[in-house]
Amino acid sequence: MIKNDIKPVETENDIRVRIIAEKLSVPYRNVLNTIELLDEGCTIPFISRYRKERTGSLDEVKITAISDMTEQLREIEKRKATILKSISTQGLMTTELKEKIESCWNENELEDIYLPFKPKRRTRAQIAREAGLEHLAIMIMAGRIDNPYEAAERFTGDIFKNADEAIHGAQDIIAEMVSEDSRSRQHTRNVFRRKAVITSKVVKSKAKTDEAAKFSDYFDWEESLGKCSSHRLLAMRRGESMGILRVSINVNEEECTSRLKRMFVRNSGKCRTIVENAIDDAYKRLIKPSIETEFASISKEKADSEAIAVFAENLRQLLLSPPLGHKRTMGIDPGYRTGCKVVCLDQTGSLIHFEPIYPHMPIGKWHQASERLKDMIIKYAIEAIAIGNGTASRETRKLADEVVASIDKEKAPRVFVVSEDGASVYSASAIAREEFPDEDVTVRGAVSIARRLIDPLAELVKIDAKSIGVGQYQHDVDQSRLRKSLDNTVVSCVNSVGVNINTASRHLLTYISGLGPVLAKNIVEYRNQNGPFTSRAQIRKVPRLGQAAFQQCAGFLRIPEADNPLDNSAVHPERYDLVEQMAKDYHCTVEELISNKDKRKEVDISRYVTDEVGLPTLRDIMAELEKPGRDPRETITMFDFDSRVNSIDDLSVGMILPGIVTNITNFGAFVDIGVHQDGLVHISQLADHYVSNPSDVVRLHQHVKVRVTEIDTRRNRISLTMKQQ
């Protein structure tokens, strides 16, 4: 037999997979399998949880990165196809050029290759070409003319009146040739990459305005672009968009042009001066503005990525905040003049009572409000009270504590302060109107506050994530990227917790793997018409919910009262037979396998490894049998502010106070210490050791101890530290 040594040609798909594998340091086979699963319509939560054997147990972060990179590379493929078609239509395609385009996978380099062939408006160089000056320009650039001005005389006429004008026309052609040479752009790009500096200057006419005061740090600012943090860059760009700052990106011009001159100048005669002038013009007029715009875009995209990552992580922590659980809950939306809006909910979160009370000035009916709260707590058997953390929160907490103290300990509810960020947005939304068509916005807002205590995840998915107030410069970043990232975060959180299909709202079900708005609505309608689901198999009866959707969603939907205990677990129905075989092999029922720890210890999972089911899935199954349907969220804890402080005027430097982390940014964490103004713990003050990422040290809603280091009453700023004295 003759050995075939011919290496198979790599397809574009092969190249794409290889690029992603190398970039993410993931084995080629795992990337290939992940892309295949995504193309089959599998969701990221499903792949991460139930297809570990095919992906090599990649987590959601890696799978998301593979998905994003696949999308980007496919867009480059589309762009290459467009460019190839455009150049071929012009009749300018060569074999070498085609190979160069097809082998390019960098967007900027691809556009560099296309630039000389890209249809453009009528430029100065084009006008000179039409006048027949291209040959002259090429000869000057090659240094083959002893007296270029004498040669230029032949091209004078209606367009170019004399030799000087003709030489300028030739210079325009040379400048365009230099600017469209990919080497020129790559050289300039390299200099920008290493040495670019971002500069911010105040617009003098705006310097003394109130709006400009917020940007005073950037009135005369300069730093290396590569070292500019995301929050500083976004702040400068915001100031620029408001017309307060002028922002530019620069490098040493001489360093760029001297290298270009070495690349393109051919001799030392009169042609040299003409070509050097053309190169200076090319750099200032054509290359630098383009590369500066490119790096402005790259730096903005990088800053966006960092800011979006911070927002997504904060949102994840907020959505996975500890739930109180299904308790009869009172929600209070505090206020002074308009009073406190009080709602009472049953254990399912349904509204059973509403009334306003007016304990605070200017009305000041403290005693009457106290009596009404006590009556409601007893009448509706309230087990917990949720108070919004906005205006009059501390005073309302004091009222609630007094009332609770007057009730028998066995019947006294626990009191919690809850973030009310976004509650007003929810109360005016279409979702709130649909849930409470007969109630006004004040009632809806108080209900949202109470439900956030019962189950933060179930309630917060109803609110636009940007309105929850846990990001930095969220209105300045790419909104489509932000929306995609936040949606992915919500999907990840909802599926990591799982939902009870018999109590979940349509809005919560929407985020379950494989469902979406239509199927979520169909599930709720089926539930309303036929009563609670009794098994996962019954989910198949929901209109339009086919096998593919069932496969994606089933493992994330829980049925607590189902006959089959696996229906209330994260074990996927496709693995029920395997669990039942385990029980049979060890002479017990599935129920006994779940309840009997000794029985589970007997199981040798290696016996059940197949080509399709490996140890990762088997370990997940055994962990789930140990605690079926377990909630990964922590247990809720109570918190009290220091009673000595109620406003910024009560603070003094050196005070040590309890606080709650309300927001995390790249530059530190904001902490609520109960004075209606969050204090900042700068990243340098978060710990006694070096901190590169605040999220490594603190988490959202964490209870912390802080020390006051600075109080700026004029700007209403509080500086805090978590370092030990």
Side-chain angles (χ1 to χ4, degrees):
M1 180 181 290
I2 299 174
K3 186 177 179 180
N4 186 359
D5 289 330
I6 299 175
K7 186 177 179 180
V9 177
E10 265 193 321
T11 66
E12 292 227 319
N13 184 62
D14 295 333
I15 297 171
R16 187 169 61 241
V17 173
R18 176 169 52 77
I19 291 171
I20 296 172
E22 291 172 357
K23 181 77 172 178
L24 300 179
S25 299
V26 174
Y28 179 96
R29 175 56 56 182
N30 295 345
V31 173
L32 179 62
N33 288 342
T34 300
I35 294 173
E36 288 176 353
L37 287 165
L38 289 166
D39 288 344
E40 289 168 11
C42 296
T43 66
I44 291 172
F46 176 81
I47 296 170
S48 174
R49 173 76 192 190
Y50 297 113
R51 291 296 180 263
K52 292 183 176 180
E53 283 74 20
R54 289 188 65 182
T55 68
S57 297
L58 294 179
D59 60 20
E60 289 189 9
V61 175
K62 286 287 190 183
I63 296 170
T64 300
I66 290 172
S67 176
D68 290 344
M69 284 195 68
T70 300
E71 187 177 326
Q72 292 166 9
L73 293 176
R74 284 175 174 168
E75 286 301 314
I76 291 176
E77 286 176 11
K78 291 178 184 177
R79 181 59 178 159
K80 287 199 287 188
T82 299
I83 289 172
L84 288 168
K85 183 178 179 181
S86 173
I87 298 175
S88 296
T89 302
Q90 297 174 50
L92 300 173
M93 183 60 71
T94 64
T95 302
E96 182 183 1
L97 180 58
K98 184 179 180 182
E99 289 176 353
K100 193 174 182 181
I101 293 169
E102 289 178 340
S103 63
C104 182
W105 289 92
N106 179 284
E107 292 170 286
N108 292 324
E109 291 176 11
L110 183 62
E111 295 303 326
D112 286 351
I113 296 170
Y114 182 43
L115 188 58
F117 309 96
K118 189 174 184 178
K120 54 179 76 73
R121 61 182 175 80
R122 197 160 178 261
T123 63
R124 285 160 42 177
Q126 184 61 34
I127 294 171
R129 285 191 180 94
E130 292 171 0
L133 289 173
E134 185 166 20
H135 180 70
L136 175 64
I138 292 171
M139 296 298 287
I140 291 174
M141 198 171 182
R144 295 178 183 172
I145 303 177
D146 293 332
N147 191 334
Y149 285 88
E150 183 178 307
E153 288 287 353
R154 292 179 295 152
F155 299 96
T156 57
D158 294 338
I159 299 177
F160 300 107
K161 307 296 184 184
N162 52 51
D164 283 341
E165 289 188 9
I167 289 294
H168 280 299
Q171 277 184 312
D172 289 336
I173 295 174
I174 295 169
E176 190 168 276
M177 291 168 67
V178 169
S179 73
E180 291 183 349
D181 191 301
S182 60
R183 295 172 299 166
S184 303
R185 303 179 69 80
Q186 195 57 47
H187 159 65
T188 307
R189 191 175 285 126
N190 289 338
V191 176
F192 266 76
R193 191 174 290 118
R194 289 184 285 108
K195 298 185 177 181
V197 171
I198 185 167
T199 302
S200 171
K201 303 287 185 184
V202 67
V203 176
K204 290 184 179 179
S205 61
K206 299 286 185 73
K208 296 183 180 180
T209 62
D210 291 338
E211 280 187 332
K214 300 175 185 177
F215 301 94
S216 58
D217 290 344
Y218 305 103
F219 280 6
D220 188 15
W221 182 268
E222 182 177 291
E223 71 173 309
S224 166
L225 180 64
K227 294 181 179 179
C228 183
S229 66
S230 66
H231 64 273
R232 290 200 297 273
L233 189 139
L234 290 172
M236 283 185 268
R237 290 302 182 189
R238 177 185 288 183
E240 181 183 41
S241 68
M242 294 172 66
I244 295 169
L245 303 175
R246 286 196 180 94
V247 181
S248 61
I249 297 173
N250 298 288
V251 293
N252 185 294
E253 181 178 321
E254 177 62 26
E255 184 173 351
C256 287
T257 56
S258 61
R259 173 70 184 275
L260 294 177
K261 288 171 184 177
R262 289 197 299 272
M263 289 167 59
F264 293 103
V265 174
R266 298 287 184 264
N267 65 19
S268 58
K270 293 182 179 179
C271 290
R272 180 187 184 93
T273 302
I274 296 171
V275 175
E276 286 182 340
N277 290 339
I279 289 171
D280 288 336
D281 176 51
Y283 176 77
K284 292 178 183 177
R285 182 168 58 88
L286 302 172
I287 300 174
K288 181 184 179 295
S290 175
I291 300 300
E292 181 182 357
T293 299
E294 182 182 308
F295 272 76
S297 176
I298 291 170
S299 60
K300 173 64 164 56
E301 186 175 331
K302 181 174 179 287
D304 283 2
S305 296
E306 292 180 17
I308 289 170
V310 169
F311 201 143
E313 178 55 29
N314 285 351
L315 178 62
R316 178 180 297 279
Q317 293 181 22
L318 186 62
L319 293 175
L320 296 179
S321 297
L324 177 67
H326 295 291
K327 306 287 185 183
R328 297 177 73 87
T329 304
M330 173 182 286
I332 305 177
D333 185 359
Y336 291 117
R337 183 180 57 81
T338 58
C340 299
K341 282 65 69 178
V342 184
V343 296
C344 297
L345 310 183
D346 66 17
Q347 58 267 35
T348 67
S350 298
L351 177 65
I352 52 178
H353 181 72
F354 162 73
E355 70 176 85
I357 57 174
Y358 301 90
H360 312 307
M361 297 302 291
I363 299 176
K365 295 183 177 181
W366 186 273
H367 178 71
Q368 295 94 319
S370 177
E371 289 297 317
R372 286 305 305 140
L373 275 187
K374 186 173 182 179
D375 290 345
M376 283 185 274
I377 289 169
I378 294 171
K379 180 177 180 179
Y380 299 108
I382 296 300
E383 299 171 89
I385 299 174
I387 301 172
N389 68 342
T391 304
S393 176
R394 291 293 302 279
E395 297 85 345
T396 305
R397 171 69 188 267
K398 182 179 179 182
L399 173 69
D401 285 341
E402 284 185 9
V403 172
V404 168
S406 69
I407 299 173
D408 292 341
K409 284 188 177 181
E410 293 182 0
K411 296 181 179 179
R414 292 189 292 169
V415 181
F416 300 87
V417 175
V418 177
S419 170
E420 60 181 45
D421 285 334
S424 60
V425 174
Y426 162 78
S427 64
S429 69
I431 295 174
R433 291 194 298 273
E434 179 185 325
E435 289 191 293
F436 302 103
D438 300 323
E439 307 294 347
D440 66 19
V441 292
T442 60
V443 178
R444 298 170 190 159
V447 169
S448 181
I449 289 170
R451 286 179 170 176
R452 292 181 190 201
L453 179 61
I454 295 171
D455 189 341
L457 178 61
E459 188 61 22
L460 292 173
V461 295
K462 303 173 186 176
I463 302 170
D464 182 353
K466 288 191 297 181
S467 303
I468 299 177
V470 290
Q472 62 180 65
Y473 297 101
Q474 57 261 41
H475 301 294
D476 298 287
V477 302
D478 184 305
Q479 295 301 294
S480 62
R481 287 180 62 201
L482 177 63
R483 166 62 62 189
K484 182 179 179 181
S485 176
L486 298 185
D487 282 348
N488 287 342
T489 301
V490 175
V491 168
S492 173
C493 291
V494 171
N495 287 282
S496 69
V497 172
V499 304
N500 182 338
I501 193 173
N502 287 324
T503 60
S505 69
R506 172 170 61 85
H507 315 289
L508 187 59
L509 288 168
T510 295
Y511 291 99
I512 286 292
S513 169
L515 293 184
V518 174
L519 290 179
K521 180 181 178 182
N522 290 353
I523 286 174
V524 173
E525 289 178 352
Y526 182 91
R527 189 175 72 196
N528 292 340
Q529 294 168 6
N530 300 280
F533 289 88
T534 57
S535 71
R536 277 175 170 163
Q538 190 183 356
I539 299 172
R540 296 173 184 269
K541 296 181 180 180
V542 173
R544 298 180 66 180
L545 200 154
Q547 174 56 32
F550 178 80
Q551 181 193 53
Q552 297 297 308
C553 74
F556 304 105
L557 298 173
R558 310 279 187 266
I559 305 177
E561 306 303 323
D563 292 334
N564 187 340
L566 296 179
D567 283 348
N568 191 37
S569 75
V571 177
H572 197 281
E574 66 188 6
R575 302 293 173 238
Y576 282 11
D577 289 346
L578 189 152
V579 178
E580 289 164 3
Q581 185 62 50
M582 284 182 184
K584 182 179 178 182
D585 291 345
Y586 288 89
H587 311 293
C588 65
T589 63
V590 171
E591 289 84 347
E592 289 173 323
L593 200 57
I594 291 172
S595 61
N596 192 322
K597 181 179 180 181
D598 292 333
K599 274 292 181 186
R600 289 196 303 276
K601 282 185 176 180
E602 291 179 26
V603 178
D604 178 6
I605 60 175
S606 64
R607 292 176 54 188
Y608 302 95
V609 173
T610 65
D611 291 340
E612 188 177 347
V613 181
L615 288 176
T617 293
L618 289 164
R619 291 192 189 103
D620 283 349
I621 289 173
M622 296 309 295
E624 194 61 29
L625 294 179
E626 183 180 351
K627 293 181 180 179
R630 67 192 182 284
D631 192 323
R633 294 173 289 184
E634 296 178 357
T635 303
I636 194 168
T637 57
M638 298 183 68
F639 176 84
D640 291 308
F641 289 114
D642 192 309
S643 59
R644 297 174 297 167
V645 298
N646 291 282
S647 73
I648 194 170
D649 296 327
D650 297 327
L651 298 177
S652 60
V653 172
M655 269 188 168
I656 297 176
L657 302 167
I660 299 176
V661 178
T662 58
N663 198 5
I664 301 172
T665 69
N666 277 345
F667 53 85
F670 288 93
V671 177
D672 182 0
I673 53 176
V675 296
H676 308 296
Q677 174 62 44
D678 290 351
L680 172 65
V681 183
H682 188 266
I683 188 171
S684 63
Q685 299 296 313
L686 283 171
D688 292 319
H689 58 271
Y690 173 74
V691 176
S692 60
N693 182 358
S695 292
D696 293 338
V697 180
V698 292
R699 67 182 188 281
L700 213 60
H701 289 180
Q702 180 180 344
H703 299 171
V704 296
K705 285 283 186 182
V706 295
R707 177 164 47 88
V708 180
T709 59
E710 186 179 346
I711 306 161
D712 185 342
T713 53
R714 185 180 68 83
R715 294 194 294 177
N716 210 27
R717 290 183 178 179
I718 305 164
S719 297
L720 307 169
T721 182
M722 286 171 57
K723 286 186 173 182
Q724 306 220 346
Q725 286 181 305

